[in-house]
Every structure is written in C-alpha cells, then in structure tokens.
Amino acid sequence: MMTGFRLNLSPLKEPLGFVKLVEWLTAIFAFGSCGGFSGTNIISLFCGDGTNETLNANFHYPFRLSQVPLVDGNTTICKHSVTTTHMMGDSASAAEFFVGIGIVCFLYSMVALLVYLGYMHVYKDSDFGPIFDFVITAILVFMWLVCSSAWAKGLQNVKDATDTEGIDASLALCKGGNITCEVTDFASMRTLNISVVFGYLNMFIWAGNAWFVYKETRWHSQKFSSQPGPGRQQVPAPI
C-alpha cells in the first residue's frame, strides 16, 4: 500500500472534509473572541459634598479580577483615605479552559484536514484512522459542551463583578455613608457573548461531523453488511 503524500482536494467537496474546514474556522472565532478581550468600566463616585470622582476598572482575559486593582496604592477619594483595593471574582479557570479547548480543536482540525487532503488513501484503507478520528471527535463534542457551559457561567460572574453592585461590594467606600458609586460607562462585552455562542455552535458542528466520521469506520460498514438485502430470504439451518 502506498503511504506517500497525494494531494487531493476532492474531500473538501464532501461533508467529511468540508465540515472539518468549518470546524477550523469556528474554533478560531470561539477562542479569538474570548482570548483577545480587554475592556474598561468607568465608575462615577458622587461625593456627599457635591463633587464627583471617577475610577477605571480595567479587566481582560483571563479575567483574574481579584488581581485587578480598582484603587492602586493609598489615595484619597471623596476626602476619605482608601487603601489598595482589588475587584472581586476569578473566572480564569473557565476562560482558559474554553480557550484551551478551542486551540486544541483548531490544531486537530488542521491535522485532520492534512490527512484528508494528502493521506485519504491511507485513512480509508486502515481501521485505525477512522476509529481514532471518531473517538477524538466524540470526546471533543463533550468537551465543547462542558467548556461552553463553564465559560457561560464564568462570563456571567464577570458581568456581575463589574456592574454597580459588584463594585459596591468591592469598594468599602461605597457601603453606606453619603457616597454613591455607579458604573456609568460599561465596556462592550459583545465579543464575549459571541464567544459563548460559538462555543455551543462548535458543539453542534462537531456532533454533526461525528456522524460523517462514524460512516468511515468499520463499525458502520459491518452494521450494513450484516443486514440482509431486499428480497433476500434467510434459509433455515438443517436439523
């Protein structure tokens, strides 16, 4: 059996190769829209004497908010001395898990496309290739479900920690007294919302691709080869 590289673009015209190309693109959108995020919320502090002051809450991937300084160093705000204060919350594990699965799927899609376009003759002549491809695809379907759900919850935690109530909980200055704290300018989290959508979209695309990969395995071929053809009658065994 010849095992050399043979470039053949015809798999891209078939569901097996075309869907893998779509997976490669959607994985980029998923981890890119999450991993490249950086935003700033503007916090307005309305002091009791009629003056106003502002703070900037800068946050970015991987969203370790507990390490993001809201007030950096000892300073005076509304005539009150405030020590170094950090935001509350940490969604790094969910965000990094999501981005990590996206990168793994991006790399696996590239390798699979290379096999489909250059080594399809080896892929179809062996049992190992399609079975391995199917098992990995099925695992990644489950991983997309888990990481997308975890990141959806992590994103909600980020939103809660960076809104007015979250800032009030972080700044002791805002608790009681005659000082009112309010987030007056919110960072756009549209790309983060899009990342969650692409996470679940990837799950459905990989689930659909699992069927086309399964059809290449011997499990599928044995299932249909074992079924009697139309009009074929089973002859009873002699007693």
Side-chain angles (χ1 to χ4, degrees):
M1 179 179 62
M2 298 294 293
T3 59
F5 182 85
R6 300 179 192 171
L7 180 61
N8 181 12
L9 299 180
S10 60
L12 290 178
K13 302 177 183 179
E14 302 174 359
L16 183 67
F18 179 76
V19 176
K20 193 64 70 179
L21 179 61
V22 173
E23 290 172 347
W24 179 74
L25 293 172
T26 53
I28 294 176
F29 285 116
F31 73 77
S33 56
C34 176
F37 179 83
S38 178
T40 301
N41 282 5
I42 306 299
I43 306 159
S44 297
L45 292 88
F46 304 96
C47 307
D49 57 1
T51 61
N52 299 334
E53 297 194 32
T54 59
L55 294 174
N56 294 336
N58 303 304
F59 54 100
H60 53 81
Y61 175 84
F63 308 104
R64 289 189 177 90
L65 301 181
S66 59
Q67 299 180 9
V68 176
L70 198 56
V71 178
D72 195 5
N74 296 336
T75 186
T76 300
I77 301 176
C78 293
K79 298 180 181 179
H80 289 73
S81 179
V82 181
T83 59
T84 299
T85 305
H86 294 82
M87 301 178 69
M88 298 177 63
D90 189 342
S91 297
S93 58
E96 290 174 339
F97 181 35
F98 181 82
V99 170
I101 293 299
I103 293 175
V104 168
C105 290
F106 166 76
L107 296 175
Y108 182 75
S109 297
M110 288 183 62
V111 174
L113 280 172
L114 176 63
V115 173
Y116 294 166
L117 301 181
Y119 297 94
M120 183 57 80
H121 54 290
V122 179
Y123 179 88
K124 289 194 172 184
D125 287 343
S126 66
D127 290 335
F128 175 78
I131 292 176
F132 177 82
D133 194 12
F134 173 73
V135 171
I136 296 299
T137 301
I139 292 174
L140 291 177
V141 171
F142 176 73
M143 297 306 292
W144 272 120
L145 172 62
V146 175
C147 75
S148 298
S149 301
W151 172 227
K153 181 61 170 63
L155 176 56
Q156 186 58 52
N157 292 340
V158 172
K159 292 178 179 180
D160 292 341
T162 55
D163 67 6
T164 298
E165 292 184 2
I167 297 301
D168 284 346
S170 301
L171 272 174
L173 192 68
C174 303
K175 299 174 182 177
N178 56 355
I179 301 174
T180 302
C181 304
E182 182 180 352
V183 178
T184 53
D185 190 3
F186 288 88
S188 175
M189 296 191 186
R190 183 178 304 172
T191 57
L192 297 181
N193 294 330
I194 290 174
S195 69
V196 174
V197 173
F198 270 102
Y200 286 110
L201 178 62
N202 270 285
M203 180 193 69
F204 287 112
I205 293 175
W206 281 81
N209 182 234
W211 165 248
F212 296 109
V213 176
Y214 172 73
K215 290 176 66 176
E216 300 295 328
T217 65
R218 58 183 174 84
W219 300 329
H220 180 268
S221 58
Q222 288 176 354
K223 175 182 177 181
F224 280 87
S225 62
S226 62
Q227 294 178 356
R232 184 182 302 173
Q233 298 181 353
Q234 295 183 354
V235 180
I239 300 177

